[in-house]
Amino acid sequence: MTPESPESTKDVVMDQPLGRKLVAEYLGSLLLAALVIGSGIAAQRLSPGDTGLQLTENAAATAAGLFTIILMFGPVSGAHFNPVVSFVDAAFGGLPWRHAFAYLPVQVVGCVSGAVLANLMFSASAVSISTTHRATFAHGLSEVVATVGLVLVIFSLARSGRADRAPAAVGAYIGAAYWFTSSTSFANPAITVGRMFSDTFAGIAPSSAPVFIATQVVGGGLALLLVRALYPGIKPAQAAEVVVPHAAASSAR
């Protein structure tokens, strides 16, 4: 099967009603959380006592799965699954602000639903609040770096006419960032909230989540400035091709 051309993908996404986009963002966020948490549970059970191997398994499954779900839902919603990406996209003129605000709660609810689904798939309690504390300076700094990198990957490709490579690049970056950041690269406020609801390998304690979310927002803001500095003079229509191409003229239905 050959991929669609950027022009045809633009047209497909532009024509999607908001309701359909929200369904895609919900399902994509659900699968993202189920992927991250489920693979973490499997790794913990299959490789007990070997944290390095558990992280390798979790990172590999996340990288491959993220690539796939972006391809799956990208032509419908742009495959954000992340409020930071949605709001940076809106700031560049690629997504109407009304859509960005509508995406946010759907992404959060989707990630929480995915955590519940992952727990149930492994015969655990549907909801178990995580006790893994991660709120240190090193973790916060890691989340700034992870989020800056993620946003730079997406928008540098979009602004240089290589948006079709974003699904693979995003998966590869997140897989690598599991290892080069001490926080294991959440880089996403919605997944941070979702991971609070699973007391497993991939979980985060509610007391640590505000630090992660705040630093992710800071990282998104810094990345916005860096993209503007590195890729100046790009028209909004060009800036809008995020994750998979879509048009700034998208209907605000």
Side-chain angles (χ1 to χ4, degrees):
M1 182 180 294
T2 56
E4 294 179 286
S5 68
E7 291 77 10
S8 63
T9 307
K10 271 188 184 181
D11 293 340
V12 168
V13 176
M14 183 173 64
D15 291 340
Q16 303 298 331
L18 177 58
R20 190 173 300 155
K21 293 180 180 180
L22 295 181
V23 171
E25 284 296 301
Y26 171 77
L27 292 174
S29 299
L30 181 152
L31 288 175
L32 174 61
L35 167 68
V36 171
I37 295 169
S39 63
I41 297 172
Q44 193 172 32
R45 293 185 182 181
L46 294 171
S47 306
D50 191 336
T51 305
L53 182 55
Q54 291 170 6
L55 186 61
T56 300
E57 294 161 346
N58 192 202
T62 299
L66 184 55
F67 169 71
T68 304
I69 62 174
I70 290 172
L71 291 178
M72 192 184 307
F73 296 108
V76 181
S77 68
H80 295 179
F81 320 138
N82 185 336
V84 170
V85 173
S86 297
F87 279 86
V88 171
D89 191 13
F92 282 130
L95 185 72
W97 282 104
R98 187 171 74 89
H99 288 203
F101 281 105
Y103 274 24
L104 189 154
V106 169
Q107 291 161 344
V108 172
V109 172
C111 285
V112 173
S113 301
V116 172
L117 178 61
N119 291 336
L120 291 174
M121 286 194 295
F122 286 89
S123 300
S125 300
V127 173
S128 58
I129 302 303
S130 178
T131 56
T132 303
H133 294 281
R134 302 175 185 263
T136 67
F137 173 80
H139 287 133
L141 178 60
S142 292
E143 281 303 292
V144 172
V145 172
T147 308
V148 168
L150 175 63
V151 175
L152 279 175
V153 166
I154 293 170
F155 288 90
S156 64
L157 291 174
R159 288 194 157 205
S160 59
R162 298 173 293 161
D164 59 316
R165 303 179 189 178
V170 169
Y173 174 80
I174 291 297
Y178 261 72
W179 283 96
F180 77 77
T181 65
S182 63
S183 64
T184 66
S185 184
F186 287 43
N188 181 341
I191 197 68
T192 301
V193 173
R195 288 167 75 160
M196 295 191 309
F197 291 87
S198 184
D199 190 18
T200 58
F201 182 77
I204 179 172
S207 60
S208 298
V211 171
F212 270 53
I213 293 170
T215 52
Q216 289 157 2
V217 171
V218 170
L222 290 174
L224 175 65
L225 297 176
L226 286 171
V227 172
R228 288 192 187 280
L230 293 170
Y231 294 90
I234 306 295
K235 297 179 181 178
Q238 292 171 283
E241 297 184 8
V242 181
V243 184
V244 296
H246 66 96
S250 179
S251 170
R253 283 179 282 184

